[in-house]
Each structure stands twice: as C-alpha cells, then as structure tokens.
Amino acid sequence: MKKILLISVLGLLSCKRNTPQVHPPVGGVLNKSDLDISRNRMKNLNTLERQQIQDWVNGQDIKFYPTQLNYWTTVEGFDQRQRRADGSPISYSYDLYDFDQTKIYDKSIERNDARFGHFDELKAVENALRYMKEGEEVTLLVPSSLAYGTFGDENKIDNDIPLIIKLKVL
C-alpha cells in the first residue's frame, strides 16, 4: 500500500508542468498611480525651477529671452530662426555652470563634425545648436528636465540641478 501511495505521489509530481516564472523588469513595473506621481513631481519641479531661473534673470545685467523648448537664451527671437536639418554637420563646444556661476568641469565639452539626428546630447544643447550660426556663442539657462534630470551625470552634477550652458559653434 505504501509503495502504491509513493508511486502515485511521484507520478503526480512528474506530471507537474514546468512553466517559466515571470519576473518584472529590473526596477519593477510602474503602475498608473506611480506614473501620475512622477509626472506631477516633474511638473511641480519644472514650475519651481522656471520661477527660480526667472528670479535669477531679473537680477542680471544681461538680457535673457525664453524659448519655446523651456530654456532661456541671450539671443532675442532665437528659436524663430531657420532650423538646421537632420544630417547636417556641426562642430561645437560648451561649458557647464551652476547658478552660482561656478564652472562645473575644468575642460570644455567639445564635439567635431557631429551630425544632427546622429548624436546624443543634452536636449537643450541639441535644440539650441539647430538655431545657431557659425562662430556664434550663446548662453543657455536650462531647467534640470532638459539637462541631467533626476539622475544627474553621476559625477559632479547632482540630480534635479538647473544649469547655465555657454555654447559655441566652432
């Protein structure tokens, strides 16, 4: 009797399906509530940073103008200029500063013969370069959402830090 019971149990166990276990992606799955919280946080942070940048601008001798992409520049009507097309080449350099006007990196970031649509750059930098003329220099005031966002650059730039970017087309 014990042998029959043991054989029956082993038989049932051998019939068990080996279905693969499903694991969520690394970091988990965000549900609608998590996404709404994140969206509201970014919206509130952007509103706060825009106000802080505007307050900073009001205290400057240099005039800054807002653009449609949510950053400021030293050129009036900047984003009304003709826009460079994807694939067109450009060489440029830029320096990053915090709003205490302290330079973050000693060495400028420089790219030669980059092509629009084929290089990875800060959103504000890529957008501004599309409207710049050869040899032109502009200063950008950029909220963190268009800079290094909620993660920073994992080096000297912390999370949620707005930046001053001094950009030059070479």
Side-chain angles (χ1 to χ4, degrees):
M1 180 75 166
K2 288 182 183 180
K3 287 182 181 180
I4 294 176
L5 184 58
L6 181 61
I7 292 173
S8 298
V9 170
L10 290 174
L12 286 174
L13 289 176
S14 66
C15 292
K16 179 184 169 197
R17 279 191 187 177
N18 287 331
T19 57
Q21 189 174 1
V22 177
H23 297 283
V26 175
V29 176
L30 296 177
N31 61 31
K32 184 175 179 346
S33 173
D34 293 334
L35 292 173
D36 288 341
I37 289 168
S38 178
R39 186 177 10 256
N40 288 335
R41 178 190 173 281
M42 286 307 296
K43 183 179 176 184
N44 293 337
L45 179 63
N46 189 48
T47 301
L48 175 66
E49 287 179 359
R50 287 185 60 77
Q51 185 58 54
Q52 290 171 338
I53 291 172
Q54 188 60 57
D55 291 345
W56 185 88
V57 165
N58 294 340
Q60 301 303 305
D61 295 332
I62 301 171
K63 182 85 172 144
F64 287 90
Y65 303 92
T67 66
Q68 294 177 2
L69 190 65
N70 196 28
Y71 62 87
W72 288 254
T73 184
T74 49
V75 179
E76 187 172 13
F78 183 73
D79 54 357
Q80 304 305 312
R81 295 175 170 183
Q82 185 168 341
R83 188 175 189 268
R84 293 179 192 239
D86 279 350
S88 58
I90 191 163
S91 296
Y92 60 95
S93 69
Y94 63 92
D95 292 300
L96 302 172
Y97 297 82
D98 62 20
F99 274 82
D100 292 330
Q101 298 187 31
T102 303
K103 192 171 182 178
I104 297 172
Y105 290 105
D106 294 331
K107 189 174 179 185
S108 297
I109 298 165
E110 187 172 317
R111 309 275 191 264
N112 292 307
D113 297 321
R115 294 200 176 273
F116 287 106
H118 299 285
F119 66 97
D120 186 28
E121 198 58 78
L122 297 175
K123 290 177 187 178
V125 169
E126 183 172 358
N127 182 266
L129 286 168
R130 287 186 181 268
Y131 297 102
M132 291 178 68
K133 301 171 185 169
E134 298 300 320
E136 185 175 28
E137 293 182 45
V138 298
T139 299
L140 309 175
L141 309 178
V142 181
S144 64
S145 61
L146 295 175
Y148 289 96
T150 53
F151 297 106
D153 73 345
E154 298 179 355
N155 193 2
K156 288 188 172 186
I157 301 172
D158 207 1
N159 62 315
D160 300 328
I161 301 294
L163 296 173
I164 298 172
I165 303 172
K166 295 190 178 183
L167 180 61
K168 180 180 182 179
V169 175
L170 304 174

